[in-house]
Amino acid sequence: MRLILLGPPGGGKGVQSQRLVDERGLVQLSTGDMLRAAIEQGTEIGEQVKDIMARGDLVSDDIVVGLVANRIFEGDFANGFVLDGFPRTLGQAEALDEVLELRKIGIDAVIALNVDDSILLDRIKKRASELANGPRADDNAEALKKRLEVYHSQTRPAIAYYADKGVLRTVDGMADIDTVAANIAAVLETL
Ligand code: AMP
């Protein structure tokens, strides 16, 4: 099963992707994780994206499309994958279509988690206090404000792209983790 999971920052994409990994054996392809790993390893890409990420802006389409394309081409994915946090712009959505076409595979569902902006700051504060290695550089009020603006201005058009294609499934992401996981499972049942 190949899925795309989209939603606002702090909206639960990472946690829900991890559930899909644990319960269905999918491979999680998280561009945020790939970029954080690049920063950690001090690679050239890491150096390029460090400040952009810390302030809550989007990294260029070229960089993230390159990372995802490499992974999709080299990966074997017996049980499929879940793209977590990608695509985040219309350009990325179109580029992904090209990669999938070259690889001769399709996506089974695009799931968008719907979460009101008002609860995201609290969720991110909670995550910042819980992470073992300390808070992420972009888990602060100022960067979150930027990430939300970017989500509404740049990622919503990507979500609309999938809605127009008729492949978008929207899931209420406001409830607790188990309930949201059950809502996603219910959508997957219908595929
Ligand atoms: P995430 O872990 O998905 O919340 O992503 C953290 C940050 O990484 C974002 O705020 C962006 O700066 C960057 N990032 C992750 N995925 C993408 C993407 N698909 N396009 C552009 N920037 C991204």
Side-chain angles (χ1 to χ4, degrees), residues 7 13 34 44 47 60 62 69 75 77-78 88-89 98 115 125 142 151 160 177 180-181:
K13 298 183 298 291
M34 292 177 208
E44 203 181 316
E47 282 306 312
S60 76
D62 283 353
F77 313 119
R88 259 175 156 103
T89 66
E98 287 174 24
V115 186
K125 277 190 196 150
E142 205 180 323
Y151 175 73
I177 291 171
V180 176

Coordinates of all heavy atoms in Angstrom, one line a residue, residues 7 13 34 44 47 60 62 69 75 77-78 88-89 98 115 125 142 151 160 177 180-181:
G7 N -0.8 17.2 6.4 CA -1.5 17.8 7.5 C -0.6 18.9 8.0 O 0.6 19.0 7.7
K13 N 1.2 13.9 11.8 CA 1.6 13.1 10.6 C 2.7 12.1 11.0 O 2.6 10.9 10.7 CB 2.3 14.0 9.6 CG 1.4 15.0 8.9 CD 2.1 15.8 7.8 CE 3.4 16.5 8.3 NZ 3.1 17.7 9.1
M34 N 14.5 13.1 6.9 CA 15.6 13.1 6.0 C 16.5 14.3 6.1 O 17.7 14.3 6.2 CB 15.2 12.9 4.5 CG 14.5 11.6 4.2 SD 14.0 11.6 2.5 CE 12.6 10.5 2.5
E44 N 26.3 18.6 2.9 CA 26.1 19.8 2.2 C 24.7 20.3 2.2 O 24.3 21.4 2.4 CB 26.6 19.6 0.8 CG 27.0 20.9 0.1 CD 27.5 20.7 -1.3 OE1 28.3 19.7 -1.5 OE2 27.1 21.4 -2.2
E47 N 23.8 21.7 5.6 CA 24.2 23.0 5.7 C 23.3 24.0 5.0 O 22.9 25.1 5.5 CB 25.6 23.2 5.2 CG 26.7 22.7 6.1 CD 26.6 23.3 7.5 OE1 26.5 24.5 7.6 OE2 26.7 22.5 8.5
S60 N 13.8 24.2 -0.6 CA 13.4 24.3 -2.0 C 12.9 22.9 -2.5 O 13.3 21.9 -2.1 CB 14.6 24.7 -2.9 OG 15.5 23.6 -3.0
D62 N 13.5 21.5 -5.3 CA 14.6 20.7 -5.9 C 15.3 19.8 -4.8 O 15.5 18.6 -5.1 CB 15.8 21.6 -6.4 CG 15.3 22.2 -7.7 OD1 14.3 21.9 -8.2 OD2 16.1 23.1 -8.2
A69 N 12.9 11.3 -4.6 CA 13.1 10.5 -5.8 C 14.2 9.4 -5.6 O 14.0 8.3 -6.0 CB 13.5 11.4 -7.0
G75 N 14.4 2.2 -3.2 CA 13.7 1.3 -2.2 C 13.0 0.2 -2.9 O 12.7 0.2 -4.1
F77 N 10.5 -1.7 -0.8 CA 9.1 -1.5 -0.2 C 8.2 -2.7 -0.4 O 7.1 -2.5 -1.1 CB 8.5 -0.3 -0.8 CG 9.4 1.0 -0.8 CD1 9.7 1.6 -2.0 CD2 9.9 1.5 0.3 CE1 10.5 2.7 -2.1 CE2 10.7 2.6 0.3 CZ 11.0 3.2 -0.9
A78 N 8.5 -3.8 0.2 CA 7.6 -5.0 0.0 C 6.1 -4.7 0.4 O 5.2 -5.1 -0.3 CB 8.1 -6.1 0.9
R88 N 4.6 19.1 -0.2 CA 4.1 20.2 0.5 C 3.9 21.4 -0.4 O 3.5 22.5 0.2 CB 5.2 20.6 1.6 CG 4.9 20.1 3.0 CD 6.1 20.5 3.8 NE 5.9 20.6 5.2 CZ 6.3 19.7 6.1 NH1 6.7 18.6 5.7 NH2 6.2 20.0 7.3
T89 N 4.1 21.3 -1.6 CA 3.8 22.4 -2.6 C 3.2 21.7 -3.8 O 3.4 20.5 -4.1 CB 5.0 23.2 -3.0 OG1 5.9 22.3 -3.8 CG2 5.8 23.8 -1.9
E98 N 5.7 12.7 -11.7 CA 6.6 12.2 -12.7 C 7.5 11.1 -12.2 O 7.8 10.1 -12.9 CB 7.5 13.4 -13.1 CG 6.8 14.5 -13.9 CD 7.6 15.7 -14.2 OE1 8.9 15.6 -14.1 OE2 7.0 16.8 -14.4
V115 N -6.8 19.5 11.3 CA -6.6 19.9 12.7 C -6.7 21.4 12.7 O -6.0 22.1 11.9 CB -5.2 19.5 13.2 CG1 -5.1 19.8 14.7 CG2 -5.0 18.0 13.0
K125 N 4.2 22.5 21.8 CA 4.8 22.7 23.1 C 5.0 21.4 23.8 O 6.0 21.2 24.5 CB 3.9 23.6 24.0 CG 4.1 25.1 23.7 CD 3.4 25.9 24.7 CE 3.1 27.3 24.4 NZ 1.9 27.9 24.9
E142 N 7.5 31.2 17.3 CA 7.7 32.0 16.2 C 7.8 31.2 14.9 O 7.2 31.5 13.9 CB 9.0 32.8 16.4 CG 9.1 34.1 15.6 CD 10.4 34.8 15.8 OE1 10.9 34.7 16.9 OE2 11.0 35.3 14.8
Y151 N 2.0 26.5 5.5 CA 1.1 25.4 5.3 C -0.2 25.9 4.6 O -0.6 25.3 3.6 CB 0.6 24.8 6.6 CG -0.4 23.7 6.5 CD1 -0.1 22.5 6.0 CD2 -1.7 24.0 6.9 CE1 -1.1 21.5 5.8 CE2 -2.7 23.0 6.7 CZ -2.4 21.8 6.2 OH -3.4 20.8 6.0
A160 N -5.3 20.6 -2.5 CA -6.4 20.9 -3.5 C -6.2 20.1 -4.8 O -7.1 19.6 -5.4 CB -6.5 22.4 -3.7
I177 N -4.6 10.1 19.7 CA -3.8 9.3 18.7 C -4.6 8.0 18.3 O -4.6 7.7 17.1 CB -2.4 9.0 19.3 CG1 -1.6 10.2 19.4 CG2 -1.7 8.0 18.4 CD1 -0.3 10.1 20.2
V180 N -7.6 8.8 16.0 CA -7.2 9.3 14.7 C -6.7 8.0 13.9 O -7.0 7.9 12.7 CB -6.1 10.4 14.7 CG1 -5.6 10.8 13.3 CG2 -6.7 11.6 15.4
A181 N -5.9 7.2 14.6 CA -5.4 6.0 13.9 C -6.6 5.1 13.4 O -6.5 4.6 12.3 CB -4.5 5.2 14.8

